[in-house]
Amino acid sequence: MGYNAPMSQPIDLHSHSTASDGSLSPAELVSRAHALGVRVLALTDHDTLAGIPEASTRARQLGMSLIPGVEISVTWGKQTLHVVGLGVALDNEALNQGLAVLRDFRVWRADEIGRRLLRDAGIADATAGARQFAKGGLLSRTHFAHFLIAQGKAEHSREVFKRFLVSGKPGHVPGQWATLEQALGWIGAAGGQAVLAHPARYKLGYGKLRTLCQEFKRLGGVGIEVVSGSQDANEAQELARLAQQLGLLASSGSDYHGPESPWQELGALPPLPGICTPLWHDWPEALAA
Ligand code: AMP
Ligand code: MN
Ligand code: MN
Ligand code: MN
């Protein structure tokens, strides 16, 4: 990154709405992106496509491009991974059925998180409380975090996750999401491009990360998030080299969840390192504008 590199990009390929654990409605999200200068936005809610029609309608009204996307929860060994699918067809059966299974698991898991928080931390009615923050969308640990903060159990989300929601803590429920092969199969069936989300967040170490990226590519993955709202400049440089070595394209996305997390903003991203091939290098002119 040069010293004068802008921290604002017209393309943002990772964001969330109230359909999953974001706090803006799909239409509000698109309007905010537009106001901030984003011209190509992917809505990538966790395990659901439910927000896309509303987002697409608003994007059309504003004359910007909305990429229909999804962020699929995956279990790889003992690790939870997130795989973003971009440009997916909304009516593909394999994708929709696969996502429906993940959402069913979320419904069961939410009740189980509530039972465990009561049993092991003496916190009552957490599932109903979390549901109030979910605004009708699917239930995520993010909503439990909002509820627990509102109950005064912790001050902010990093603390609440650490004390209640991660492995070994009262509200953690281990579980099986999609396999990497399934997620990539569904995205491929729906005509989308599969991107490994925020690879640095998994803290895998270089060798294991490289193995993951190789397997990801072998199973049909085309890119990795080199630039992410949850990765720093050093991580971006390392991931840029890894992508280049392995012949993977580079994606860029804020992972925006809402105005309550002001350290992540739509389009507020450094440019991709120069050695990268952008994921959108062969997208139609109108999109890549
Ligand atoms: P879930 O998919 O329901 O298990 O929830 C995962 C979501 O929780 C992620 O997509 C993040 O938005 C959020 N999350 C995970 N870990 C943390 C953390 N340490 N601090 C804040 N938010 C987190
Ligand atoms: Mn999230
Ligand atoms: Mn993620
Ligand atoms: Mn995300």
Side-chain angles (χ1 to χ4, degrees):
M1 236 192 304
Y3 287 110
N4 297 317
M7 273 299 289
S8 167
Q9 297 299 314
I11 299 186
D12 187 335
L13 298 180
H14 189 148
S15 69
H16 296 275
S17 76
T18 47
S20 67
D21 63 350
S23 59
L24 300 183
S25 72
E28 287 168 343
L29 179 82
V30 171
S31 295
R32 185 184 184 96
H34 185 263
L36 290 166
V38 175
R39 291 298 171 261
V40 180
L41 176 72
L43 177 59
T44 56
D45 275 309
H46 299 285
D47 305 325
T48 183
L49 302 171
I52 306 273
E54 180 185 313
S56 299
T57 300
R58 178 58 60 91
R60 214 173 303 119
Q61 289 162 352
L62 294 170
M64 62 184 276
S65 298
L66 190 285
I67 310 291
V70 63
E71 182 174 16
I72 302 180
S73 308
V74 165
T75 302
W76 185 69
K78 285 186 181 149
Q79 181 74 45
T80 299
L81 304 175
H82 288 169
V83 175
V84 165
L86 297 173
V88 292
L90 300 189
D91 60 356
N92 179 263
E93 210 173 300
L95 177 61
N96 279 287
Q97 282 182 1
L99 297 179
V101 172
L102 298 182
R103 291 195 299 271
D104 285 346
F105 172 66
R106 283 184 177 278
V107 170
W108 173 83
R109 185 188 69 155
D111 285 329
E112 184 63 17
I113 291 174
R115 282 190 287 272
R116 290 185 189 208
L117 284 173
L118 179 60
R119 188 190 67 195
D120 298 337
I123 297 167
D125 300 323
T127 308
R131 196 169 286 122
Q132 299 215 310
F133 287 94
K135 300 180 182 167
L138 57 69
L139 270 178
S140 155
R141 280 185 296 162
T142 305
H143 303 117
F144 283 90
H146 290 160
F147 166 75
L148 291 167
I149 291 166
Q151 293 288 299
K153 303 292 178 190
E155 268 189 41
H156 43 73
S157 63
R158 189 165 306 166
E159 186 192 346
V160 92
F161 267 85
K162 212 165 135 186
R163 286 180 54 194
F164 294 99
L165 298 171
V166 297
S167 181
K169 297 304 157 76
H172 183 259
V173 177
Q176 200 58 41
W177 300 103
T179 65
L180 195 53
E181 196 164 4
Q182 285 173 323
L184 292 170
W186 303 336
I187 292 167
Q193 291 182 291
V195 174
L196 182 63
H198 42 62
R201 274 248 301 267
Y202 311 127
K203 307 287 175 216
L204 292 177
Y206 187 76
K208 205 160 178 202
L209 179 58
R210 195 186 163 89
T211 302
L212 167 61
C213 289
Q214 284 170 324
E215 188 171 336
F216 185 77
K217 188 178 180 194
R218 182 173 60 78
L219 293 171
V222 300
I224 65 174
E225 283 182 351
V226 167
V227 166
S228 161
S230 62
Q231 292 171 171
D232 66 27
N234 287 330
E235 290 167 333
Q237 291 299 339
E238 251 177 65
L239 291 166
R241 280 193 290 273
L242 187 60
Q244 201 210 18
Q245 284 169 15
L246 299 181
L248 286 159
L249 301 175
S251 191
S252 174
S254 62
D255 205 0
Y256 183 77
H257 280 73
E260 71 288 343
S261 312
W263 57 90
Q264 281 176 348
E265 183 55 88
L266 289 158
L269 298 160
L272 286 174
I275 59 167
C276 296
T277 306
L279 189 84
W280 53 89
H281 76 105
D282 61 352
W283 287 7
E285 196 81 359
L287 271 181

